[in-house]
Amino acid sequence: MIYSKIIATGSYLPQKVLTNADLEKMVDTTDEWIVSRSGIKERRIAASGEKTSDMAYNAALDAINSVNLDRTCIDLIIVATSSADMIFPSTACLLQARLGLVHIPAFDLQAACTGFVYAMATADSYIKSKMAKTVLVVGADGVSRFIDYTDRNTCVLFGDGAGAVILQASDEYGIIANEIHADGSGEKSLYSNGHIYNGKICGIPYIKMDGQAVYKMAVKNLATVATNILTKNGYSANQVDWLVPHQANLRIIEATAQHLSIPMNKVVVTVDKHGNTSAASVPLALDCAIKDKRIKRGDLIMLEGVGAGFTWGASLIRY
């Protein structure tokens, strides 16, 4: 049996820190209001001219250098992002060129905040079908470029960053199972529909969100997909060493953990420092917990993502 094993992780956060105190000067809000509704205290914002591909490149290098990997063994690059540098070429192709990895396949995957979980499932399929042996999976988003900083319901939630994972074919346990879903009827609850048509910008180039609808959908679907993937593979929630969820909102994270009867001391939380970094949030949280040695080799990990579409999914992994 071939498994996709995590051999390295990496991350990158922009230098600029945007605190709740900073936002108090920009929009009608308070630190107390933001923390009570989201758990977020600060977030990182990409510098002027800093692109999604730049953040992806730095996260990828961090992962590669963490294990002194010969980068030429990478034979596939997948970048999960909703904020590509341009319509085309893909961010993955730009990353491939900067890494000097010519001729290997590289593509972007867009599933909003669930993008990284979708990308992990895709990379796992490539490895198990023997179409790839070593895959660089990156979640990177510069969400701040389409935030309306006069809308207090959205501008307090999002930040920028990138996280990376390198998967390699192994006969040891790695990714045990993936489960991904989508429901396009959720289009109007969370969207950014700005686009170019006949040389003009059409639609709304900012994120718009129905917070209550997103909350209800997220908690229900995250709890259900986690229960499904555990049951189908003969595990119970109390066997999970670490839950690494999408970092959208602390209340969503806490409610999901409660539904699964997983205590919060087994949940990786970075939303207070990072905000919602979209496709980057899960790999950023994973890398943080690996680097501070909370997550250890042999631990059973559940990754979860949920986002616009609606999309949602989970990966059960033996690290």
Side-chain angles (χ1 to χ4, degrees):
M1 180 71 178
I2 298 174
Y3 295 98
S4 305
K5 192 171 185 63
I6 295 174
I7 64 166
T9 62
S11 59
Y12 172 77
L13 290 165
Q15 289 187 351
K16 181 180 178 181
V17 178
L18 184 67
T19 67
N20 291 347
D22 295 326
L23 285 167
E24 288 178 344
K25 302 171 185 175
M26 300 166 60
V27 68
D28 181 19
T29 192
T30 65
D31 174 69
E32 181 182 8
W33 188 88
I34 297 169
V35 172
S36 66
R37 285 161 176 77
S38 69
I40 300 169
K41 298 177 182 178
E42 61 184 45
R43 67 290 292 149
R44 300 296 185 95
I45 304 297
S48 176
E50 188 171 31
K51 301 175 182 177
T52 298
S53 61
D54 297 324
M55 295 188 288
Y57 175 72
N58 285 314
L61 278 188
D62 189 38
I64 291 167
N65 293 337
S66 72
V67 289
N68 296 315
L69 181 74
D70 177 1
R71 69 179 70 178
T72 61
C73 74
I74 296 171
D75 49 13
L76 172 63
I77 297 173
I78 305 174
V79 176
T81 186
S82 299
S83 53
D85 290 7
M86 58 188 81
I87 295 174
F88 53 78
S90 69
T91 306
C93 281
L94 300 177
L95 174 59
Q96 182 224 49
R98 288 188 68 176
L99 291 172
L101 300 174
V102 297
H103 300 151
I104 69 168
F107 60 86
D108 286 358
L109 189 155
Q110 214 280 53
C113 297
T114 320
F116 182 77
V117 174
Y118 267 58
M120 287 287 278
T122 304
D124 184 41
S125 296
Y126 269 85
I127 289 174
K128 287 179 177 174
S129 65
K130 299 183 181 180
M131 290 180 66
K133 291 183 179 180
T134 304
V135 184
L136 171 62
V137 183
V138 182
D141 265 313
V143 190
S144 65
R145 72 179 64 172
F146 40 89
I147 292 296
D148 178 359
Y149 283 97
T150 67
D151 178 4
R152 74 170 188 166
N153 293 314
T154 56
C155 74
V156 302
L157 300 177
F158 295 93
D160 303 331
V165 163
I166 298 174
L167 294 173
Q168 196 165 69
S170 174
D171 57 3
E172 297 179 354
Y173 262 120
I175 295 179
I176 298 167
N178 304 288
E179 187 169 322
I180 54 176
H181 299 273
D183 178 3
S185 66
E187 172 198 357
K188 297 299 182 182
S189 296
L190 179 57
Y191 66 92
S192 177
N193 62 12
H195 60 283
I196 297 173
Y197 185 77
N198 285 339
K200 297 179 180 179
I201 297 176
C202 303
I204 301 171
Y206 297 117
I207 292 176
K208 297 297 179 182
M209 180 175 66
D210 178 344
Q212 285 299 315
V214 171
Y215 177 87
K216 292 176 182 178
M217 178 280 303
V219 173
K220 174 187 175 183
N221 289 332
L222 287 175
T224 299
V225 74
T227 300
N228 286 348
I229 201 170
L230 287 167
T231 301
K232 288 178 182 177
N233 292 280
Y235 292 90
S236 60
N238 62 14
Q239 291 177 284
V240 175
D241 294 298
W242 291 101
L243 176 65
V244 187
H246 171 48
Q247 306 290 314
N249 182 303
L250 184 58
R251 292 195 298 176
I252 293 174
I253 294 171
E254 290 175 336
T256 302
Q258 184 176 10
H259 275 278
L260 295 171
S261 298
I262 294 177
M264 285 302 294
N265 63 3
K266 295 173 68 175
V267 181
V268 178
V269 177
T270 58
V271 69
D272 56 327
K273 296 291 186 183
H274 300 167
N276 182 349
T277 55
S278 190
S281 79
V282 172
L284 277 170
L286 177 64
D287 183 57
C288 179
I290 288 174
K291 281 180 175 164
D292 67 20
K293 303 189 185 306
R294 276 179 289 172
I295 292 179
K296 299 177 177 61
R297 282 293 175 191
D299 283 354
L300 186 66
I301 309 165
M302 173 80 74
L303 308 184
E304 284 197 300
V306 62
F310 292 121
T311 59
W312 66 97
S315 294
L316 187 64
I317 302 169
R318 181 69 69 182
Y319 177 67

